[in-house]
Amino acid sequence: MVFRKLPGVSASGMGLRLSQKFVFLLFLSGLVTLCFGALFFLPDSVRLKRIFLSKTESQPVTVGSDNDLRDHLKKGAKDMEHLRGITSAKGETSTKLKSLSRKPSITNEAKADEKVVGGEALEDLTMSRSKTESSSKDEKVTSSSNQRANTDTSFDYNKFKKCLLKPPLGIEHGKSSHPQTLHRRDKVKEMMKFAWDNYKSFAWGKNELRPLTKNGHIGNMFGGLRGASIVDSLDTLYIMGLIDEYNDAKEWVETSLDLNSNGEASLFEVNIRYVGGLLSAYYLTGEEMFKRKVLELGEKLLPAFNTPTGIPRGVINLGSGTSWSWGWASAGSSILAEFGTLHLEFVHLSELSNNPIYTEKVMNIRRLLNKIEKPHGLYPNFLSPVSGNWVQHHVSIGGLGDSFYEYLIKSYLMSDKTDEEAKNMYYSALEAIEANLVQKSPGGLTYMAEWRGGILDHKMGHLACFSGGMVGIGADDGAPEKRQHFLDLAAEITHTCHESYSRSATKLGPEAFRFDGGAEATATRLSDRYYILRPEVIESYMYMWRLTHDPKYREWGWEAVEALEQHCRVEAGFSGIRDVYAQTVSHDNMQQSFFLSETLKYLYLLFSDDDLLPLEDWVFNTEAHPLPVIRKKNNTTTLAGPLFLGLC
């Protein structure tokens, strides 16, 4: 008995006085409290959670589980196998998404999954804990056995440049011989310099500029990361020949971009803006610093995939690696346009790191999507990362869904047209979209409606206007007899989006426009009338110009330049407006980083010759960051998938 170890206490313990008993019990209870309480102040870790989790509450186990991730990262330099594959639609995060609210726990998500609709839960991804852990071990062994050692672990930038068919910046930086076109391009360059100079003067190091109040904006999308406008602008400045400004941006990234943040970030936004921006800056310039930074950041995103299905959650703490779903997302679900807009960047992370884990993560997403049942061939916007089931049957080519489809066709193009799986997924999805969503208004306008459980909502968002360009760049690689049909469909969608601009007082388009109640291509709700410097319509102009050289696309682009100058340019930058139909505009006091990365870049390319970032060599991510086509030699196939033994 414990009393025998205490001096002065009788064997029976009965000789203790009441006060001694009280003191002893007080001491004992304090000791117990101290020991157990200390556990809750330890750093959060997967191992600590395992102590307290019941056996019925299984931990997220995927190809990229916690231990597997560390193993991959340690031997990443030795990995030679590179798998190929697919990869809002900018979702609506902050200005592109909705306001976020933290999803507290996986337990609540599991309870919410009782409400899911859709196909059966994926049996091989939601097994019991013991079976899943056993499978995870087997996958590790298989993955390790398929990897080949490589003594040369560095990415050969000079060899990469030889794989390009044409110089990235063209013969004369894409300068047109046509005086009017050259004048228009110079005007866009001046707009970029004006926007950049004001950002540098009033918001340097912050994420975005508030041009009316002349200060910076940080926001809550980037998890403590800063300088979103700087990273987003790197390639635009370089392409436009604004070299002094580019050097300032490069110096800031090298000295001030701190990736050791401990905030809560949108996986989607960090990927398309920071990862995409750093990747394109490296590929365009060969600056090793950009490669080091992007690989460090890429590592921090991997824990988001530690879910039972491998479908990443939408929000991640870049410091701790914990992740959760958006509070507003139905039943703790992940968003199609977010987990479906990782493929391009993650394949390139594998290329630069010589580590296949990034490609494995996005290929796992593809495998799940291929297996799950799709209503009428459509991909709903919400998917549970716990069960692998669809949550709600809401389908949109605009926000929440858009860039998933974009990354299917672009994954095929970026693979040098070898990724047949991505190609088949894209054309199957496009067939379902045409059958269920593409509509013709009484006035003859073609538009993409939204689908809610079989009921059409005759609305098209500004974000969906990227689809004109998407359908256009995919026209050549479908069935030969459908090539002209796809080009015609792309032109019709782009025309409809232009109409949404031309029918407003400002000649700028609303956030969403409708085709019901007698309205066509106009916003009927006050909440849809704003314009936040979005690029999607101009993006389609640029692609359609490259594909057809129809001069109307350059004219439409110039109309947009004049409208931006008249209504969005203020004393200290460019600002979105609250109502495109108002004669006197009200500004929203925000110069979005994507205005610098996308809107102005696409306008500059629209007025440049086609040899500036030629489409044969470059694919633009959904933030308009150019990523190179990956050309490989000695292609072969293994049990794990396609294997590429080196650059061209």
Side-chain angles (χ1 to χ4, degrees), residues 427-497:
Y427 287 107
S428 295
L430 184 58
E431 182 180 353
I433 289 168
E434 284 203 78
N436 295 281
L437 304 184
V438 174
Q439 303 290 309
K440 184 84 77 172
S441 74
L445 296 179
T446 300
Y447 63 97
M448 300 269 199
E450 297 189 5
W451 190 85
R452 298 177 186 274
I455 300 174
L456 285 182
D457 184 5
H458 295 274
K459 175 186 92 170
M460 186 170 179
H462 194 292
L463 288 165
C465 284
F466 86 98
S467 59
M470 177 190 74
V471 174
I473 62 174
D476 278 346
D477 298 298
E481 66 273 14
K482 298 197 75 173
R483 179 183 183 278
Q484 191 57 49
H485 166 73
F486 287 139
L487 281 176
D488 291 343
L489 177 60
E492 291 170 13
I493 294 170
T494 305
H495 170 70
T496 297
C497 292

Side-chain angles (χ1 to χ4, degrees), residues 50 95 121 154 186 207 214 280 315 332 342 361 396 421 427 449 559 586:
R50 287 175 183 162
T95 56
S154 62
D186 287 342
N207 284 325
K214 298 182 180 179
S280 69
V315 189
L342 302 168
K361 294 297 186 185
S396 170
E421 188 175 44
Y427 287 107
E559 290 174 6
S586 172

Side-chain angles (χ1 to χ4, degrees), residues 530-542:
Y530 63 90
Y531 172 71
I532 56 172
L533 307 175
R534 286 205 187 276
E536 290 78 20
V537 175
I538 294 165
E539 174 183 354
S540 285
Y541 294 167
M542 189 279 290

Side-chain angles (χ1 to χ4, degrees), residues 16-77:
L16 283 175
R17 297 174 183 173
L18 183 62
S19 60
Q20 289 176 315
K21 290 180 181 180
F22 176 76
V23 171
F24 174 74
L25 290 174
L26 185 64
F27 170 77
L28 188 61
S29 62
L31 182 63
V32 171
T33 301
L34 180 64
C35 293
F36 281 91
L39 289 174
F40 295 94
F41 293 94
L42 292 174
D44 186 27
S45 71
V46 173
R47 289 177 180 172
L48 184 60
K49 290 177 183 176
R50 287 175 183 162
I51 297 173
F52 298 100
L53 283 174
S54 66
K55 292 184 178 181
T56 58
E57 185 178 343
S58 61
Q59 282 294 300
V61 180
T62 66
V63 174
S65 64
D66 197 49
N67 292 332
D68 196 21
L69 170 58
R70 282 192 286 271
D71 292 340
H72 270 294
L73 294 176
K74 287 179 181 177
K75 60 189 175 184

